[in-house]
Amino acid sequence: MVTYCTLHAAQRFNLFENKSIDMKTVMLFGILNGVSIGLLNLSLGFNSIGFYQMTKLAIIPFTVLLETLFLKKQFSRKIKFSLFLLLIGVGIASITDLQLNFVGTILSLLAIITTCIGQILTNTIQKRLNVSSTQLLYQSAPFQAAILFVSGPVVDQCLTKKNVFAHKYTPIVLAFIILSCIISVSVNFSTFLVIGKTSPVTYQVLGHLKTCLVLGFGYTLLHDPFTERNIIGILVAIFGMGLYSYFCTQENKKKQSGDLPLGSQTKDKDGAPLLGGKNMVHQEKDSHEVKKSAKDSLV
């Protein structure tokens, strides 16, 4: 809700132009994103941290599968290999225990599905409807806030037997809540921006870079326990990210170079009628002069 209010103020100051989007599309998109956030949090509540990390790792291959099946997007073997290295590295660095249970597994599967679909739609809606990340976030934030506001307290009440509104909110607690909200504005905005400008897979790659940075900062600043396994995993993950970035750059250059001959051919084709038109003009002019000379000779 703070994200929506912030963007509403920015829109009033003409920092961006609001663009109306089909209400049904925006509503379903916002609700889907809200459900995705709730399921990810429930997954963390019902599963061990190791299994939750496994859930986050599964988002990348599932996103690749969905984009291949439904959007007909092609991923080269090099891209798939770099993603495989990335997932292996993050898995080695972050996954410790894997405690499975039925409810937690179902919640994790639902979280993976809704997160992948939501991120794919974030990219697809921006490109197909020609809207910016700011416009889409501004339109969908109220619906996302509404579904979380309605479902969150009810689920908490069922699970913890405590009412969130009955909690004693001290000034310190309120200060940290406000700080969290302010940070979330930049997080939400950057999420939509990155997915819209790149792709859902690239956004997930950046998310796993965040995991590696969290582990690194935890060791340097908080003196968390760090083993050789963590170091090896982070190095493998960073190597995989580097390969992914390199291969994506190379493929983009090939696409751009492949488009240039088409452009030149189009120009030639477009120029042909003009040249032909000039020849026609010259031919008509010559024939007119021939006719005129014939008339003069008859006279």
Side-chain angles (χ1 to χ4, degrees), residues 235-253:
L235 291 176
V236 172
I238 292 175
F239 180 67
M241 292 174 200
L243 285 179
Y244 176 79
S245 178
Y246 175 76
F247 292 145
C248 284
T249 304
Q250 292 298 314
E251 290 186 5
N252 287 334
K253 286 182 179 179

Side-chain angles (χ1 to χ4, degrees), residues 184-245:
S184 73
V185 174
S186 59
V187 171
N188 291 331
F189 179 75
S190 62
T191 297
F192 276 60
L193 183 65
V194 170
I195 295 177
K197 293 292 184 182
T198 57
S199 70
V201 175
T202 300
Y203 171 73
Q204 286 297 325
V205 170
L206 286 175
H208 291 304
L209 174 61
K210 178 193 70 176
T211 302
C212 295
L213 291 175
V214 167
L215 291 173
F217 281 120
Y219 173 72
T220 55
L221 299 179
L222 305 178
H223 305 290
D224 289 341
F226 217 58
T227 63
E228 293 181 357
R229 174 184 171 180
N230 298 127
I231 298 174
I232 294 173
I234 290 175
L235 291 176
V236 172
I238 292 175
F239 180 67
M241 292 174 200
L243 285 179
Y244 176 79
S245 178

Side-chain angles (χ1 to χ4, degrees), residues 111-124:
I112 292 170
I113 294 171
T114 53
T115 301
C116 292
I117 295 175
Q119 291 179 1
I120 291 173
L121 286 177
T122 302
N123 180 270
T124 305

